Amino acid sequence: MRRYIDLVKREFKLFWNNSVLRMLFIGAPLAYGILFGFVYEKGKVTDLPIVVVDEDNSPMSHRLIEMLNDNETVKIAAIVPANTDLHVLSVKYDAASVIVIPDHFEADILYKRYPEIPVYVNTDNILTANFSSKAIQIVTGTLKAGIEIEALRKTGVPEALANTQYEPFQVTYIKNYNTSGNYMYFLWPGMLATIFQQVLFLALAITFAAELENGTFSELVRKSRTSLMAIVAKCTPYFIMSFIIWICYAIMHLYFKVPLGYNLGWITLIAGLLVFSVCMIGILVSILIPNQLKATEILMVIATPSFVLSGFTWPLSQMPVWIQYLAQAIPLTHFLEAYRIATIQNGGFDALINPIAKMFILGLVTGVIAWICIEVKFRKAKKTELLLL
């Protein structure tokens, strides 16, 4: 036990003496977590600028404009009387959408001519385009329903009956889980996990590579005696520091009012499995590539596209099969799946067992391969030391 504690102290000392690694591992997850937390703190998109071209200038067009103003998602940046260059309007006001209320709009409605309102959606940003078009659809749909109900009332249909006859059936949308559609609840935790995996890969890349490159591997062999003890000692500081970062993340969740769900124990378990699997992959690359720079580059090639490949923002089922298989080899894929189930959906063990098992198997397989490779290096180092004696 004393030998193990001395090895852990040695690893902490090596970590702390590396100022870049120290700043990156401790500073990056916390700094980026706070920074991105404030970026997405609002959670919902509101007051998106839109432009209304009112060619009709009638009570009906004014009613539509008033309803658009009452919608929290959009904000009318300008109302212009004539159909000018729509491209110029969109660029000038940075408009998410441009709505054209045509001439004779009210008259055409009254005479049942079924007028058309063109809506030009600026799709250079898919997020703002979706939010603005959805808000406009809600407003225009409400206006259409109101006009139809008024028309039925004028024909003598009782109000209670008119409210049910303007459409053949009713559709009720019931939101589950992230009911408010809060963008921060959806995106921010995934970004935190991605950043954490990346810095963990960077730290683990130099664990054994630094020993081999700096010629201190034989010292590690003498102090640890067994390769398994060396692996455990190398990983222990990162488990301890990861747990501290995990507590800081939990505090950030409380500060930004992002729910962690009721499965805090399961979330902590899957976070620990993420650290375990990332450590095993990092150690494997570090022992196979005895060069700190090259080992770091290889792990960054794995870490950089991991968020996109994880299926967190774009469904895995919509990706080519070979990319789906590639994504399964990245710990973040399984962590984010389990995290989403545990926090947003409040799922139990039955729902979590699949991603948990995959993450554990990934860490176990890479860990066994890493142990075999380190054991070979240990035996060679011991033979060399015996020959020197």
Side-chain angles (χ1 to χ4, degrees), residues 11-22:
E11 192 61 30
F12 266 118
K13 187 177 179 181
L14 290 172
F15 170 83
W16 201 254
N17 287 339
N18 190 325
S19 59
V20 176
L21 183 59
R22 185 174 69 236

Side-chain angles (χ1 to χ4, degrees), residues 369-388:
I369 297 171
W371 172 71
I372 293 170
C373 294
I374 294 168
E375 181 65 25
V376 171
K377 296 273 188 184
F378 260 58
R379 291 186 180 185
K380 286 183 179 178
K382 286 177 181 178
K383 282 183 181 178
T384 304
E385 191 171 344
L386 287 171
L387 289 172
L388 291 173

Side-chain angles (χ1 to χ4, degrees), residues 107-180:
D108 288 344
I109 289 174
L110 295 174
Y111 287 101
K112 304 290 184 181
R113 292 175 186 153
Y114 201 65
E116 179 184 5
I117 297 180
V119 179
Y120 300 88
V121 182
N122 183 356
T123 54
D124 67 351
N125 185 316
I126 301 299
L127 177 69
T128 57
N130 288 340
F131 272 95
S132 66
S133 59
K134 183 180 177 181
I136 293 167
Q137 285 173 2
I138 291 171
V139 169
T140 53
T142 304
L143 179 61
K144 284 191 287 186
I147 292 170
E148 186 65 28
I149 291 169
E150 282 184 19
L152 289 170
R153 265 202 221 107
K154 289 178 181 178
T155 61
V157 178
E159 184 174 348
L161 188 59
N163 290 335
T164 60
Q165 282 192 349
Y166 78 93
E167 59 181 0
F169 61 88
Q170 181 178 349
V171 179
T172 302
Y173 293 93
I174 301 170
K175 293 182 178 180
N176 288 324
Y177 314 125
N178 187 2
T179 54
S180 63

Side-chain angles (χ1 to χ4, degrees), residues 32-61:
Y32 285 135
I34 294 169
L35 177 65
F36 293 152
F38 280 113
V39 169
Y40 295 106
E41 184 180 20
K42 194 174 179 182
K44 294 177 68 177
V45 177
T46 59
D47 297 325
L48 290 174
I50 61 172
V51 174
V52 178
V53 180
D54 187 3
E55 298 179 350
D56 191 43
N57 194 25
S58 64
M60 187 65 72
S61 67

Side-chain angles (χ1 to χ4, degrees), residues 319-327:
M319 301 179 194
V321 176
W322 67 272
I323 291 183
Q324 294 181 37
Y325 283 120
L326 184 64

